Amino acid sequence: MQFISHLILSIVYFLVLSIQKSKANENTIKILINRPDIHSEEYLEKHNSLINQYFISEGIFNKTNIPPLNISFSYCSPVPEDGFYIEFLYNVFNSGFTVDVDFIRNLNCTIRELKDSNYDMMIVDDRFLFIDESSVSNPNINMGFALDKFSSYLLNYEQYITNENVLDSHDKNILDDGYSEERYGLPYELDFDVLYHQETSHNNNNNNNNNNNDNNDNNNNDNNDNNNNDNNDNNNKNNNNDNNNVINNGNNVTTSLSKNETNKKQKRSSSINMNNNDDSNNNYNNSNNDNDNNHKNNDNNNMDNNKDQDKNKDRISLGLADNDELLNSFIEYSKYHFNNKQKTKIFKYPDYFKNFYKKEIYESFAKFLVEKTGLSINETLAISMEDAYHSFINGQDSWMKGKASYFQELKQYNNITVRMDNSLNDCGSVIREKFVVINKNSRKNKEILFEIALQLTSRKFQIYRANHFGSIPTFDLKQKNQDQEIQQYCSSHSEICDQLQSLKPIRMKEALKKNKLSSSFLESRIILPSTLRTNLQTNNYTQVITAFTSTNESEQLILLLFHTNWNVMITLMVILGITEIFLIYLVITVFRYRKHSCMKPASPNLCCLTIFGIILSIFYPMLYFVLYNNYLCRISYILKFFISNMVYLPVFVIIYRIFYIYKNISKVHFGEKINDRYLIKCITIALVTVISIITVMVSFNTISITTYGSLIQHRYLYCNYNELVITSYMFAIYYAIFVFAIVVMTIKSIKVTKKYHDMKYAIFVVLYYTASFLFESFCYNTLIPNFVVMTFSITILYIISSLFGIYLLIGSRLLSVYKQSKDQRELFENSIKELNINIADFIPEMNKSSGKVKSIFTTFKKDKSKNNSITEKDSSAIDDHIANNPNNFFF
């Protein structure tokens, strides 16, 4: 009894906890965010606290339709299985590229959480938002993430917009980046790369006085600016104190950047030239000439203390342990190194991408890193962003490449003066745009989620986050003069606004995309930075060059084949050309002797159609060389079906004709149903009907251009018909019925088939189907090792099989005709015009001298019965009592 009572209490307790947990989940909006580069743990705790505080202090729950709830931000925690299949896939294909395991694990974690609806909303950057989209997809990589299309899990918020003006404050370019075919992302924040430079006081009294004066001026300016928004100022002070406790161990906070100094800096050339030649070093030194002279004049008594600082005055602190930062730095460096004076985007020029296919750019970049960090390449690539940040604020390096969002935090230090420069001379910098997206499968009310998304991306909230986290709003600065809130932001964050107005953004998805046939950013991101890192360490750049090629150069298959083994391909093309010419000549010859007595039983007109289909089938793979859009893929699919029917339908009709004659031999007036004209008409109707059906079905189904891309180091394009599942099943049933009918007719007429050796038609069907299957499966298949040799071998096998099949159909009879003398052929052609053809001519002739049926293989044997002339044979046919039968049509 006591056990039962404990069990009941446990069940009740469990139910109560479940109900409480369910209610808590209903009142909590879970938002997934990425880890920041620095202070990730402190950032998350502070982020959750201040965001919820904002919603309460601003009375959001009272002013909107949003009920009181809690907003919870969190990071994604990968499990060991995340990304395993992608890594396995690259190992199986033996691509030779280095896969970014951390990236694919984090990405797979995000996708998994999105599918499981564990998060209602996400904050993602522009690289992730449409990461898998490209005109040419890689289905194997999508399959590795179990992902059809990332945006298919996101909510199109356009239907919830009641006032378009709520989006007017955002920069139009950023807003457009949140669009694809539909609206998915609301602009949340912006960030971009800059160079920070610090100038240390060196314990000099004059410099200290100057710094104090500058600091006082700056503090006065900041106080005046902050008077416009008292609430934000108070919150900002609290935030500054929090960050100071984390980073500066309680030091007093003072700002140390002069707006006048920034304006002077913008009037001269950039303080750093991202090059590794002598001019580069001069530019580094020239940027600090004034400071160096001051040090030399004022610090003569402290030379020993200054040596270490002077030694590090040109060193840059880089956090290249992060693959995103490494890729950003490489693109920025390459953009400057090959500075294009054109006004249009440099990345649109093919010549720019050619630089990625030469080792000079990588050697130059490696030399630059070593010179400017003062470390070996391995040490440079091992420094995290967190370590680079602390190295800079501790004075170990006078320069740091980081994000513009660090600036507010860096201004807190009273021992350094921080100047913010753009990364490149022409003010080009890699940018990151973040968006709020809504999980379409969330169980929460979508209208409430959209209302929360609007609050998170509003101007007031973006200014709030800028004051507390240093984040950069997505404002359209062109509206600064008309919009008071934007004016207030630029007044208190003038340095950021100045940088934004002079910024020339580099969007990574564009920087790595040569044209519309290039890979998706997902495929590029998986292999490019990690392979670049590996090759920089080994000083061997073969793989990274191949990586850039396999993600951008969509080479025509024929060029790929010729580049791989040109002599084999030229030989193959010559053989194909000779074969096609021979088959065309064969069709003409068969048609010429179609009324010959040896040819008539084999239905030469129908055999010509089959040979014509084989000619097209040999030519068909050439279409692989020009398939670059969906329309050509649709035409290719229809043409492939047409060719198959052109080969099989005439053979099917020939077998049907034999079967029909055998089953109706005792009937009269049936010849009209099986003459050539009637049967060809039936074939035409069948072809038109079937082709019309397939055209309609293909038109309403998705066909995509796909590639194996980086998996096999060759960006060969092919058509993906996986969406035509129903159509494929229908074709399978169609061909199954086709083959089944041939088998049934062959069995039903087995007696006459065996007697007259007409099993050759069934043999032809089996032989040609097998050869076609091998040809389509292995020919031009770049996944196969030594695929050029395999293509050559399979094509030769297919040609031999096709020729032997044609020999079975009509070749043996055509050889019999050619073995006769020219006079005999002319005599027969003249006499045949006056004769009716016996219906028995549909069936192979008997050898009258032996009473045995002529075998198809006896054609090559010498005919010993020379006394039986063709005229005697024809006269016997005229005396045949069936000759006047009304079924006896000219076939």
Side-chain angles (χ1 to χ4, degrees):
M1 189 68 182
Q2 186 177 4
F3 172 75
I4 295 176
S5 61
H6 281 300
L7 180 62
I8 294 173
L9 287 174
S10 299
I11 294 174
V12 172
Y13 182 71
F14 175 76
L15 291 175
V16 171
L17 288 179
S18 299
I19 293 172
Q20 290 179 346
K21 184 177 180 181
S22 176
K23 289 183 177 180
N25 289 333
E26 290 178 0
N27 295 327
T28 301
I29 301 299
K30 301 178 69 175
I31 302 178
L32 185 66
I33 60 175
N34 294 326
R35 292 179 182 271
D37 298 325
I38 56 177
H39 317 316
S40 59
E41 298 305 324
E42 296 86 353
Y43 176 86
L44 184 61
E45 182 180 354
K46 183 179 177 182
H47 201 270
N48 278 313
S49 175
L50 290 178
I51 298 305
N52 283 284
Q53 180 181 336
Y54 170 83
F55 272 75
I56 295 173
S57 62
E58 294 295 329
I60 302 299
F61 302 127
N62 298 326
K63 298 177 183 178
T64 64
N65 296 327
I66 304 174
L69 44 76
N70 179 55
I71 299 177
S72 175
F73 294 85
S74 58
Y75 305 138
C76 196
S77 300
V79 297
E81 293 79 15
D82 282 330
F84 170 78
Y85 185 80
I86 292 294
E87 187 178 5
F88 170 77
L89 198 64
Y90 274 90
N91 290 333
V92 168
F93 279 91
N94 194 25
S95 65
F97 302 131
T98 304
V99 177
D100 191 339
V101 178
D102 290 336
F103 169 76
I104 60 177
R105 291 189 66 213
N106 286 308
L107 177 61
N108 197 83
C109 177
T110 304
I111 294 173
R112 173 170 47 81
E113 297 289 359
L114 187 63
K115 291 179 179 178
D116 295 341
S117 301
N118 293 330
Y119 289 89
D120 306 300
M121 304 169 70
M122 298 172 61
I123 296 176
V124 298
D125 61 37
D126 56 317
R127 307 181 189 197
F128 182 82
L129 185 55
F130 304 114
I131 192 171
D132 58 332
E133 292 195 0
S134 174
S135 299
V136 179
S137 63
N138 192 326
N140 295 281
I141 292 180
N142 291 346
M143 182 178 63
F145 288 105
L147 179 69
D148 180 27
K149 193 175 183 181
F150 173 71
S151 59
S152 63
Y153 298 101
L154 305 181
L155 179 71
N156 176 20
Y157 64 80
E158 190 165 10
Q159 57 183 314
Y160 300 101
I161 296 179
T162 57
N163 183 8
E164 289 285 348
N165 294 331
V166 296
L167 304 178
D168 287 346
S169 63
H170 298 294
D171 185 278
K172 187 177 182 303
N173 292 326
I174 301 176
L175 192 63
D176 289 343
D177 289 339
Y179 295 172
S180 180
E181 297 175 356
E182 297 175 330
R183 294 186 175 187
Y184 296 113
L186 287 169
Y188 183 70
E189 69 180 23
L190 174 68
D191 215 340
F192 54 95
D193 289 344
V194 294
L195 283 173
Y196 290 104
H197 183 223
Q198 64 157 312
E199 298 172 354
T200 310
S201 61
H202 301 295
N203 296 322
N204 180 271
N205 292 332
N206 293 332
N207 288 340
N208 285 337
N209 292 334
N210 292 334
N211 288 335
N212 289 333
N213 292 334
D214 291 339
N215 290 337
N216 291 334
D217 293 340
N218 289 329
N219 287 332
N220 291 333
N221 291 334
D222 290 338
N223 289 333
N224 292 332
D225 292 336
N226 290 335
N227 287 335
N228 295 327
N229 195 339
D230 293 336
N231 292 331
N232 290 338
D233 181 58
N234 292 331
N235 291 331
N236 196 25
K237 289 179 181 179
N238 294 331
N239 177 44
N240 291 339
N241 290 330
D242 292 338
N243 287 336
N244 198 49
N245 290 332
V246 173
I247 304 168
N248 210 28
N249 297 322
N251 290 334
N252 293 329
V253 177
T254 57
T255 58
S256 56
L257 182 138
S258 172
K259 183 176 179 181
N260 293 331
E261 183 182 359
T262 303
N263 291 333
K264 291 177 181 178
K265 179 269 302 179
Q266 290 177 347
K267 292 180 181 179
R268 65 178 182 266
S269 61
S270 178
S271 58
I272 277 197
N273 187 332
M274 294 189 70
N275 207 335
N276 59 352
N277 51 24
D278 296 336
D279 293 338
S280 168
N281 296 328
N282 291 335
N283 285 334
Y284 271 107
N285 296 329
N286 290 337
S287 68
N288 294 316
N289 279 341
D290 295 336
N291 295 327
D292 293 340
N293 291 332
N294 290 333
H295 291 318
K296 291 178 181 179
N297 295 330
N298 298 327
D299 296 333
N300 291 327
N301 296 327
N302 298 317
M303 290 296 294
D304 293 337
N305 294 332
N306 293 340
K307 284 182 179 179
D308 292 338
Q309 295 172 349
D310 291 338
K311 181 179 179 180
N312 297 334
K313 65 181 179 180
D314 286 340
R315 284 179 49 173
I316 305 178
S317 186
L318 298 171
L320 299 184
D322 179 75
N323 276 333
D324 282 311
E325 183 61 30
L326 175 62
L327 189 61
N328 292 352
S329 298
F330 176 69
I331 293 299
E332 288 173 333
Y333 175 79
S334 61
K335 183 179 184 294
Y336 171 76
H337 190 74
F338 299 98
N339 190 10
N340 194 318
K341 302 302 181 181
Q342 301 289 338
K343 294 182 179 180
T344 55
K345 295 180 180 179
I346 186 173
F347 299 110
K348 296 300 181 182
Y349 286 87
D351 290 342
Y352 174 78
F353 279 87
K354 290 180 181 178
N355 295 315
F356 293 134
Y357 312 147
K358 303 174 183 177
K359 67 178 182 178
E360 287 77 12
I361 180 64
Y362 306 103
E363 293 175 343
S364 176
F365 181 60
K367 185 178 179 182
F368 167 79
L369 294 179
V370 171
E371 287 182 355
K372 300 312 176 186
T373 61
L375 303 171
S376 68
I377 190 66
N378 289 335
E379 292 174 327
T380 300
L381 296 177
I383 299 174
S384 67
M385 196 63 241
E386 187 97 29
D387 292 338
Y389 181 85
H390 287 293
S391 177
F392 175 71
I393 62 176
N394 292 332
Q396 296 174 1
D397 296 312
S398 60
W399 294 88
M400 180 186 72
K401 181 177 179 293
K403 292 183 172 60
S405 55
Y406 301 166
F407 183 63
Q408 179 169 301
E409 187 173 301
L410 289 171
K411 290 196 300 182
Q412 298 174 25
Y413 297 96
N414 61 349
N415 62 328
I416 58 175
T417 300
V418 179
R419 187 172 73 239
M420 181 170 57
D421 294 325
N422 286 114
S423 296
L424 304 176
N425 282 358
D426 61 351
C427 298
S429 178
V430 171
I431 66 169
R432 279 200 170 188
E433 305 159 341
K434 290 190 176 181
F435 299 88
V436 176
V437 296
I438 301 172
N439 187 349
K440 186 171 65 175
N441 299 320
S442 172
R443 300 176 183 88
K444 304 294 193 307
N445 186 301
K446 301 302 187 296
E447 293 183 359
I448 293 177
L449 292 178
F450 177 69
E451 192 67 32
I452 294 174
L454 284 180
Q455 293 298 325
L456 292 176
T457 57
S458 64
R459 280 180 291 185
K460 193 169 186 179
F461 181 76
Q462 289 197 3
I463 293 176
Y464 178 84
R465 294 188 68 255
N467 292 330
H468 287 80
F469 301 101
S471 61
I472 302 173
T474 58
F475 297 154
D476 183 1
L477 295 183
K478 296 178 182 178
Q479 302 179 16
K480 183 173 66 173
N481 297 330
Q482 294 82 26
D483 194 299
Q484 185 176 359
E485 289 180 310
I486 298 179
Q487 283 182 355
Q488 290 178 357
Y489 171 78
C490 286
S491 176
S492 57
H493 302 83
S494 58
E495 301 87 358
I496 297 293
C497 283
D498 291 340
Q499 293 290 336
L500 284 173
Q501 289 178 322
S502 61
L503 179 68
K504 292 183 179 180
I506 300 174
R507 288 175 167 81
M508 287 299 294
K509 287 197 292 188
E510 295 179 3
L512 298 176
K513 195 177 184 69
K514 179 180 178 181
N515 51 48
K516 66 178 183 178
L517 299 178
S518 298
S519 68
S520 64
F521 183 78
L522 171 60
E523 186 175 354
S524 299
R525 180 58 184 80
I526 289 174
I527 63 169
L528 287 181
S530 50
T531 304
L532 174 62
R533 176 184 303 277
T534 302
N535 285 189
L536 287 171
Q537 292 171 335
T538 60
N539 197 30
N540 185 347
Y541 306 105
T542 302
Q543 288 302 321
V544 70
I545 292 173
T546 307
F548 271 99
T549 304
S550 64
T551 55
N552 278 289
E553 296 301 325
S554 300
E555 191 173 26
Q556 291 184 356
L557 178 59
I558 189 168
L559 295 179
L560 172 62
L561 294 171
F562 274 99
H563 289 167
T564 306
N565 203 330
W566 65 270
N567 52 346
V568 173
M569 289 308 301
I570 290 178
T571 304
L572 180 61
M573 291 302 167
V574 171
I575 294 174
L576 287 177
I578 294 173
T579 303
E580 294 284 64
I581 294 172
F582 172 74
L583 291 179
I584 293 172
Y585 171 77
L586 190 62
V587 170
I588 297 173
T589 305
V590 171
F591 185 77
R592 176 184 176 186
Y593 295 108
R594 65 189 182 282
K595 293 185 179 180
H596 197 283
S597 60
C598 291
M599 302 288 288
K600 252 317 197 178
S603 303
N605 291 330
L606 299 178
C607 288
C608 286
L609 294 178
T610 296
I611 298 172
F612 180 70
I614 294 175
I615 293 173
L616 293 178
S617 69
I618 296 175
F619 174 78
Y620 173 77
M622 299 298 175
L623 290 178
Y624 297 159
F625 304 149
V626 294
L627 295 179
Y628 278 89
N629 58 60
N630 291 334
Y631 298 106
L632 290 175
C633 283
R634 296 178 195 278
I635 294 173
S636 172
Y637 192 82
I638 296 170
L639 183 59
K640 180 180 179 181
F641 189 74
F642 171 78
I643 292 172
S644 297
N645 280 271
M646 277 293 294
V647 175
Y648 292 120
L649 270 180
V651 179
F652 175 82
V653 168
I654 293 174
I655 296 175
Y656 169 76
R657 171 183 273 173
I658 296 172
F659 170 76
Y660 194 87
I661 293 173
Y662 174 77
K663 300 298 292 184
N664 296 276
I665 193 66
S666 62
K667 299 180 180 180
V668 294
H669 300 295
F670 67 84
E672 185 178 1
K673 296 181 181 180
I674 55 175
N675 71 77
D676 282 353
R677 285 172 294 179
Y678 180 80
L679 293 177
I680 291 175
K681 186 186 297 183
C682 292
I683 291 174
T684 304
I685 294 173
L687 280 175
V688 171
T689 303
V690 172
I691 296 302
S692 299
I693 294 173
I694 187 61
T695 301
V696 172
M697 297 185 70
V698 167
S699 300
F700 290 96
N701 283 273
T702 302
I703 296 178
S704 58
I705 304 291
T706 55
T707 180
Y708 287 97
S710 57
L711 291 174
I712 59 173
Q713 301 187 0
H714 299 298
R715 194 163 184 77
Y716 152 56
L717 309 181
Y718 66 97
C719 302
N720 185 4
Y721 303 108
N722 290 340
E723 297 292 332
L724 299 173
V725 177
I726 298 178
T727 306
S728 300
Y729 285 143
M730 290 181 62
F731 287 165
I733 295 172
Y734 170 78
Y735 285 119
I737 294 174
F738 193 86
V739 173
F740 178 75
I742 290 177
V743 172
V744 169
M745 288 189 296
T746 303
I747 293 174
K748 289 288 186 180
S749 57
I750 192 67
K751 292 182 180 181
V752 69
T753 301
K754 285 185 176 180
K755 184 177 181 180
Y756 295 103
H757 289 273
D758 286 328
M759 284 292 293
K760 61 185 179 181
Y761 300 114
I763 295 173
F764 169 81
V765 172
V766 174
L767 175 66
Y768 184 78
Y769 180 82
T770 304
S772 298
F773 175 78
L774 294 174
F775 185 64
E776 293 175 5
S777 301
F778 299 102
C779 189
Y780 304 105
N781 190 339
T782 55
L783 294 179
I784 302 174
N786 299 321
F787 69 95
V788 176
V789 177
M790 177 62 72
T791 295
F792 181 85
S793 303
I794 292 296
T795 304
I796 297 300
L797 178 62
Y798 179 73
I799 291 174
I800 294 174
S801 301
S802 299
L803 293 176
F804 183 70
I806 293 171
Y807 171 77
L808 291 178
L809 288 178
I810 196 71
S812 59
R813 296 182 178 276
L814 188 60
L815 288 175
S816 297
V817 172
Y818 268 94
K819 289 177 69 174
Q820 296 176 355
S821 65
K822 184 176 180 182
D823 294 338
Q824 286 179 317
R825 291 197 296 270
E826 291 178 353
L827 178 62
F828 175 79
E829 290 175 357
N830 294 329
S831 62
I832 197 66
K833 298 178 182 179
E834 303 175 0
L835 296 176
N836 290 324
I837 304 303
N838 194 317
I839 197 166
D841 288 341
F842 283 113
I843 300 173
E845 297 173 321
M846 300 282 291
N847 190 327
K848 295 181 181 180
S849 61
S850 62
K852 297 181 180 179
V853 180
K854 284 186 178 180
S855 170
I856 58 172
F857 300 105
T858 59
T859 306
F860 295 105
K861 296 179 181 180
K862 188 174 181 181
D863 189 1
K864 297 180 180 180
S865 56
K866 297 181 179 179
N867 296 328
N868 293 331
S869 67
I870 189 169
T871 54
E872 294 175 347
K873 191 175 183 179
D874 295 335
S875 62
S876 65
I878 296 173
D879 295 335
D880 199 314
H881 65 282
I882 305 177
N884 296 321
N885 193 300
N887 293 322
N888 207 356
F889 275 72
F890 286 94
F891 299 104

